[in-house]
Amino acid sequence: RKEVEQDPGPFNVPEGATVAFNCTYSNSASQSFFWYRQDCRKEPKLLMSVYSSGNEDGRFTAQLNRASQYISLLIRDSKLSDSATYLCVVKWGSGSNYKLTFGKGTLLTVNP
Amino acid sequence: DGGITQSPKYLFRKEGQNVTLSCEQNLNHDAMYWYRQDPGQGLRLIYYSQIVNDFQKGDIAEGYSVSREKKESFPLTVTSAQKNPTAFYLCASSIEAGGWIEQFFGPGTRLTVL
């Protein structure tokens, strides 16, 4: 099983649609989880951290299921500007001995 | 403005040549990282440094070298020993608070070996 695995995509949705991405991780000791957004030929940028209780930021909702070892990202009312690749990132380890692992990303295209 | 700068944005190199990619940050972050991204692939960690004068190999360190003589700077050298160096190289720095890590990325350098 890969350390971090994402929906392969691509996702093509119309404006206004709701879309959900899933990400599974193999290390049950993983501690912190993040979603990054990467525009075409640009650097990744932090979209949101994922808290144990789930968290929401405007149209974006992130959830964590530790028992099943997956995290999800829900985007409501999709905008054209949401078109990007979404990267799932998992951290394990503590103190100065930690590792961040990135998924391959899921490409989203929002169409007019 | 605080941030991470990488230069150059595009770099072309002939086979057999070493090349050094620059990464500078003024965020006062202790930790810095180098990643490589290939089409359709996730980011893969090359090297990272959590403190000045110390660095560790990541998952794909072979054919690369780094130095961390200053907190602000973490240059990456792609040596001729790297078999497939054409890729998008991303430098990052991070801040940690209560176990949460936020990484900030530079704009990247696209290296093409001719």
Side-chain angles (χ1 to χ4, degrees):
Chain A
R1 184 178 181 181
K2 294 181 181 177
E3 291 185 8
V4 176
E5 199 156 3
Q6 295 188 236
D7 287 335
F11 284 64
N12 285 282
V13 302
E15 269 188 291
T18 295
V19 61
F21 307 134
N22 290 319
C23 170
T24 58
Y25 58 94
S26 61
N27 188 335
S28 60
S30 299
Q31 300 170 317
S32 308
F33 310 88
F34 311 88
W35 284 102
Y36 276 72
R37 170 197 169 122
Q38 185 174 23
D39 292 303
C40 186
R41 301 180 72 82
K42 298 286 189 180
E43 73 274 22
K45 294 184 179 179
L46 180 66
L47 178 64
M48 57 197 304
S49 302
V50 186
Y51 302 123
S52 295
S53 56
N55 47 300
E56 187 173 308
D57 183 3
R59 299 181 292 107
F60 297 84
T61 300
Q63 291 194 313
L64 167 64
N65 185 320
R66 285 192 183 273
S68 300
Q69 295 181 205
Y70 79 83
I71 65 174
S72 64
L73 177 68
L74 182 76
I75 305 175
R76 292 181 299 279
D77 189 23
S78 300
K79 310 292 184 190
L80 296 177
S81 57
D82 293 335
S83 296
T85 296
Y86 291 83
L87 305 173
C88 169
V89 183
V90 175
K91 176 208 170 193
W92 57 80
S94 60
S96 61
N97 187 20
Y98 64 85
K99 180 179 180 181
L100 292 166
T101 299
F102 286 74
K104 291 185 178 181
T106 301
L107 176 62
L108 170 67
T109 301
V110 180
N111 301 303
Chain B
D1 290 334
I4 302 175
T5 57
Q6 289 185 244
S7 61
K9 189 172 182 178
Y10 298 96
L11 187 58
F12 298 88
R13 161 200 133 175
K14 291 182 180 179
E15 269 192 63
Q17 290 181 335
N18 292 355
V19 62
T20 297
L21 311 184
S22 167
C23 177
E24 303 279 332
Q25 56 102 356
N26 60 4
L27 300 168
N28 199 34
H29 289 169
D30 287 317
M32 296 186 74
Y33 315 76
W34 273 105
Y35 292 92
R36 167 183 174 139
Q37 189 175 35
D38 295 282
Q41 300 293 319
L43 275 68
R44 292 185 289 167
L45 182 64
I46 304 172
Y47 269 98
Y48 65 102
S49 167
Q50 293 177 323
I51 196 168
V52 174
N53 291 321
D54 188 40
F55 49 83
Q56 287 78 40
K57 292 182 179 180
D59 299 320
I60 54 165
E62 185 175 351
Y64 300 98
S65 65
V66 294
S67 63
R68 186 86 186 277
E69 297 177 1
K70 298 186 299 181
K71 187 175 186 178
E72 303 79 21
S73 179
F74 191 40
L76 173 75
T77 297
V78 184
T79 75
S80 57
Q82 169 49 235
K83 300 301 181 188
N84 186 20
T86 294
F88 185 38
Y89 289 88
L90 288 158
C91 178
S93 67
S94 69
I95 186 168
E96 179 177 3
W100 295 92
I101 299 278
E102 179 173 355
Q103 285 194 320
F104 296 83
F105 286 85
T109 293
R110 292 194 178 274
L111 173 65
T112 302
V113 174
L114 304 172

